Amino acid sequence: MSRSRVLGLMAFFVALTLLLAACASEDEEVDAADDAEEEEESPEPDTEEGPEEQDEAAADDHGFEDGDVITIVVPSDPGGGYDTIGRQLQPLIEEELADITGLDLSVSVENMPGAAHRVGTEYVAAAEPDGTTMVFTAVLIVSNYVLQDVDYDPREMTPIVDVGTLPRGFVIRPELGLETLVDVAAHSVEEPLVVGTPGLEAEMAVLRELLQEAGHELQYDMVSYEGVPESATALLRGDVDLALAGAASWVPFIEDNPEDMQFLVSLGCERDEGIEDVPSITEEDIDTADAICGSIGGQQRVLVGPAGIPPATVAVLEEAILRAGEDEAYVEQTREAGQWAPMRGSEELRSMMDTSLETYEAYREEILEAQ
Amino acid sequence: MIESIPEALGVLASFDVLLLIVAGTTVGMTAALLPGIGGSTALAILIALTFTMPPTHAFPFLVAVMGGTGFAGSITSILLNLPGEGVNAATTLDGYPMARSGRAGEAIGASAAASALGALFGVLVLVAAIPVVRPLLLAVGPAEVFALSVAGIALISSVSRGKMIPGLISGAAGLLISTVGLNTAVGTPRFDYGSRFLFDGFPLVPVIIGLFAVPELLKLIARKESISVTPPETSRGAWKGVKAVLQRPATLLRGSAIGVGIGVLPGVGAAISTWVAYFVEKNTSSDPSRFGHGAIEGVIAPEASNDSKEGASLIPLFALGIPGSISTAILMGAFAIHGIPSGRQMLEQENIGLVWMMIFALILSNILVSSLGLVAARPLVRLTALPVAIIAPIILLLSLSGPYATTRTFYGVLVTVAFGLLGIVMVATGYPRPPFVIGFILLPIAERNFLVATQVHRGSFGFLLDPAVLSILIVAVLPMVVLPLVRRRRAQRGDARNRESLPAGAAEGGTGNLPPGSPPAPDAERSALPDDPEAAYSNRGAEFVWLGLLGLWALWFGAETFRMGADAALFPRLTVVVLLVLLVARLGGAWRARASGQLEAGDGAGAFPLRGIVYACLWLVALPVAFLALGILVGGAVYAFVFYMAHRGRPRVATALRGVALGAGCWLGLYSVFERGLNIRLPTGWFF
């Protein structure tokens, strides 16, 4: 085959492709023009409407269009807690959005793992603020900002829904004979304890400082594990004296090995539904208990969008997700998996993120030293 | 426990459960054929489907997905030199040479039989071990895993037999590059320079695809030849492979036992079991020189190991409630959703029926996937006879789109291309790649467990003197270090006696270093390949440039370690020292050899088709450029079309139509698999 013929064929193919693309663009322009005409034909909204009409008008201002795909970015590998809950919620949110907007919107879950949620969060932070992209993450959105050099500011990002908080708790070897966190602190002064934790070094550092402020010194050596199963094995082997992790993750291990490990305390502000026998830290004689439970008491699972999503769009998303969270099967399945707390709206999420930010900024140096 | 078996079999025998097992096996098999996707990703995505199923349907289905992935990944390893997951990489070493010499069917048959029988072995061990294995599992802590990992790293010396110093240098380079990224034991990112991508280090699958698949593919492009250099044997080849497995029960048992032994240890990393199985088989062989040239044992051992570990990885899940692999971790998440306990509670009366169902589903899916493989072997081997104009763009698209799906960013694509170029340099300079991969996989495991053991012992290294740890180190490490040295000494004595009859340049490498054109060894199984993928392109000039770059890199990383804390710097610093010592030893050896006239400058130069490989590299780089410009779907399709037209001879309408069909097929394949099947949205480009 001569070179000129190859080039000719390539040029033909490229031209054909460009032509097809141009046709597609023209179609889009025609569609956009039709939409614009429809908008012009529709009556002007009445400015003196009642609250219900205003709500409806607000709902119409959400900016979504038929066929839009709303992407929930899960910044971790497939198969983890975030991924599982994201995929459970996906069809439910899709259904509720259709019900609220009357549009054919689809919801997609995409995994974008890397750098402790940074890759997915930075991707979403840079996305268009039109409500079609949000990240399903944790308090890491705040701690990464305080402790690392990231390309976003959590104060500017748009909170949508707190999907649920997983309470944290301490699990201890029963033969130590320690009943409360205060006992643990007193014991640790005489004999420093070995604490195992799957990635909660920052939270341990905050806890130590807050206990110190309340007059309880906690001395420990930290062992960093890659997950709760590894942490649980270490406790079973006697490698560590106690461990800090999400309470729900520990339930199956404690139920399977009651003679080797037991809950000491939950760091939640109240007793948690799934582990009602376990006392909350607020029941102990610790002056800073409220600060502890308010800052590091639970692992939040939050849906957050890029900065600048219009309030009407947030309202629609929030309503759809909160409604999805009331689905009976979803509630039952997530409770089985240890997520006992209900969903909360965007305002409560904003306040929670601000509290976390204050805590991490206040103890930044101590956390960095602990790491 | 046993009394629940009839009930479990009764449920399994129902039509809908059987259908789900077939569906799960098929989906798992398909996912495993896609490099970078693998079974665990498919499993994670499919969990959502099981939320509304009863557990008696959900778990046989999920376990069938696990079972379906085991053997299927070996198919692309054998046919295309493209490992689906890290665990399949060792199979490429002999599977692909078999395909090159027209024995792809035999390799697939051997892999299918070894996988099915290995899986059965794993399940039998699972059933036998559950009641008694708990104390054993608890006895193996971070200190013992560290010792086992060191034993694995010591394997590099035996892997490098015949090319000791180059092999050790490759291994040390693999060790050093694995230190890039977050050290999870001390929470310190290393050598990441603020990059969110380097923060997690280099992902395994793109590294393996780059090192193993890309260089071989570029050679095909450079030479414009099909995978199979001799016409593939299509009739009865697969059954020949099955027969070969049955005739080698010791190989099968060794591989399976290694898979079980490593698979049962949570956190050790399944990818290493197949490498250990391969090299143990090679070391115990009466003629190790056949390995790497199409020895069928080199397919049987890693595949038996790969599939036996699936059953074994369920042992810690049932005995301790601790997942032994990523797949079992996902399965454990599904247990939680369905309100089913894990650990010993699973073995209680109300759950034991489900455990049996999962065990039988695993057996069924393994038999099913192997049977499908045997049936499909005959049409599949025809892939190896496809002209390079068709097969090369397909392999390249799979090689680069799979890593994209793994990382969901272009980082995976770039890592594949970068390690592909590194692989070409290693092939060109005669440095073996398996030691690199072993070092790359094992150092993070060794380092992490060492640091955790140190933290548990409050900063003391006293655990190294623990009798169990010492025993593992002595029993496992010494033979691996000493035996190759003894063998080398023997070989040198033999060489000294026969030196006069050997061609120049073959002295160091033994049989593995035969120059191109040497007559094949008188062994029926040795492939009549035109080249030795690891050795024949040895090029001294390029080697010294490569060594110089390695030295600079080691010094650079060494200097960087002084900015880190002591714990984070320990292993990188040790590795840098080892690498620098080896580089000096290599250069010193080369200098002495030249002085004594045993080594000629530029030995092997000219065997490397520089012009052809540059041409092929341009095609490699063109694909990510097409991805960026036009997106993965359109860019991939256009690339396939242009590649076809450039390699298909005279331009005619029929040729152009076939090119368009190939491009459209690539587009459709990528779209249906990624966007529709796996719900992974492929990115658009600058223009589309």
Side-chain angles (χ1 to χ4, degrees), chain B residues 262-477:
Chain B
I262 294 178
V264 78
L265 299 176
V268 174
I272 199 62
S273 74
T274 51
W275 288 102
V276 174
Y278 180 88
F279 287 109
V280 165
E281 198 53 38
K282 183 179 175 183
N283 283 345
T284 52
S285 168
S286 56
D287 182 8
S289 66
R290 290 185 302 118
F291 283 75
H293 299 270
I296 201 156
E297 294 90 340
V299 173
I300 297 170
E303 283 307 309
S305 160
N306 181 25
D307 282 66
S308 65
K309 74 168 174 34
E310 285 303 335
S313 68
L314 288 170
I315 294 174
L317 185 67
F318 294 154
L320 290 174
I322 290 161
S325 65
I326 297 171
S327 297
T328 45
I330 296 168
L331 205 60
M332 196 173 158
F335 287 159
I337 295 284
H338 285 272
I340 292 167
S342 46
R344 286 178 295 179
Q345 289 181 85
M346 283 207 80
L347 306 178
E348 289 171 5
Q349 193 55 41
E350 64 265 36
N351 297 314
I352 191 67
L354 190 64
V355 171
W356 280 118
M357 285 181 71
M358 286 161 60
I359 288 171
F360 289 127
L362 188 61
I363 296 173
L364 259 179
S365 67
N366 271 287
I367 292 171
L368 187 63
V369 73
S370 292
S371 308
L372 283 172
L374 286 175
V375 172
R378 198 166 171 174
L380 281 174
V381 296
R382 292 183 198 280
L383 283 176
T384 61
L386 285 175
V388 73
I390 295 174
I391 198 70
I394 292 173
I395 300 178
L396 262 178
L397 273 176
L398 283 173
S399 299
L400 297 193
S401 54
Y404 174 84
T406 310
T407 58
R408 307 296 200 274
T409 62
F410 268 102
Y411 176 59
V413 178
L414 293 177
V415 170
T416 310
V417 173
F419 277 85
L421 297 174
L422 175 66
I424 292 163
V425 172
M426 291 178 79
V427 172
T429 52
Y431 278 68
R433 292 164 289 175
F436 184 97
V437 174
I438 291 174
F440 182 80
I441 294 172
L442 274 179
L443 186 83
I445 299 169
E447 182 183 28
R448 211 195 120 58
N449 282 283
F450 177 85
L451 292 173
V452 167
T454 312
Q455 289 168 355
V456 166
H457 292 84
R458 299 176 192 266
S460 161
F461 295 158
F463 64 88
L464 291 171
L465 299 175
D466 181 272
V469 176
L470 263 183
S471 307
I472 295 171
L473 287 173
I474 292 168
V475 170
V477 176

Side-chain angles (χ1 to χ4, degrees), chain A residues 353-367:
Chain A
M353 284 171 66
D354 289 344
T355 308
S356 294
L357 192 61
E358 277 173 29
T359 308
Y360 278 95
E361 282 183 333
Y363 296 104
R364 184 174 184 274
E365 295 307 317
E366 288 81 3
I367 293 169

Side-chain angles (χ1 to χ4, degrees), chain B residues 562-595:
Chain B
F562 288 98
R563 295 190 202 171
M564 300 170 188
D567 286 348
L570 177 63
F571 276 73
R573 209 172 280 163
L574 271 176
T575 312
V576 163
V577 171
V578 169
L579 182 54
L580 288 174
V581 167
L582 288 167
L583 290 174
V584 170
R586 176 65 182 157
L587 290 171
W591 183 262
R592 281 198 303 277
R594 177 184 281 201

Side-chain angles (χ1 to χ4, degrees), chain A residues 206-355:
Chain A
V206 172
L207 177 69
R208 186 184 56 200
E209 294 304 315
L210 286 169
L211 283 176
Q212 181 86 34
E213 284 173 23
H216 302 286
E217 192 176 342
L218 180 65
Q219 292 193 3
Y220 61 87
D221 291 307
M222 177 79 82
V223 186
S224 301
Y225 292 102
E226 283 194 328
V228 171
E230 205 180 289
S231 218
T233 314
L235 205 63
L236 279 176
R237 285 172 44 82
D239 285 352
V240 296
D241 299 310
L242 73 163
L244 173 66
S249 316
W250 279 96
V251 171
F253 297 106
I254 292 174
E255 284 179 352
D256 201 40
N257 304 282
E259 67 281 10
D260 296 313
M261 55 176 81
Q262 64 185 36
F263 272 117
L264 176 78
V265 64
S266 154
L267 296 186
C269 292
E270 294 167 6
R271 288 196 178 208
D272 294 299
E273 191 185 321
I275 45 170
E276 281 172 342
D277 296 341
V278 180
S280 152
I281 191 166
T282 52
E283 296 171 40
E284 293 210 25
D285 184 21
I286 299 172
D287 294 343
T288 51
D290 286 338
I292 292 172
C293 75
S295 56
I296 58 163
Q299 177 194 354
Q300 295 95 356
R301 286 173 169 164
V302 301
L303 278 164
V304 178
I309 301 180
T313 311
V314 174
V316 167
L317 289 171
E318 183 181 342
E319 188 183 346
I321 298 165
L322 289 175
R323 278 203 217 170
E326 288 167 7
D327 179 83
E328 276 181 29
Y330 169 79
V331 170
E332 193 184 332
Q333 285 170 347
T334 47
R335 285 191 176 183
E336 287 285 3
Q339 182 174 297
W340 306 304
M343 285 188 181
R344 295 187 295 177
S346 57
E347 281 185 22
E348 285 163 297
L349 175 56
R350 172 85 281 161
S351 149
M352 196 175 77
M353 284 171 66
D354 289 344
T355 308

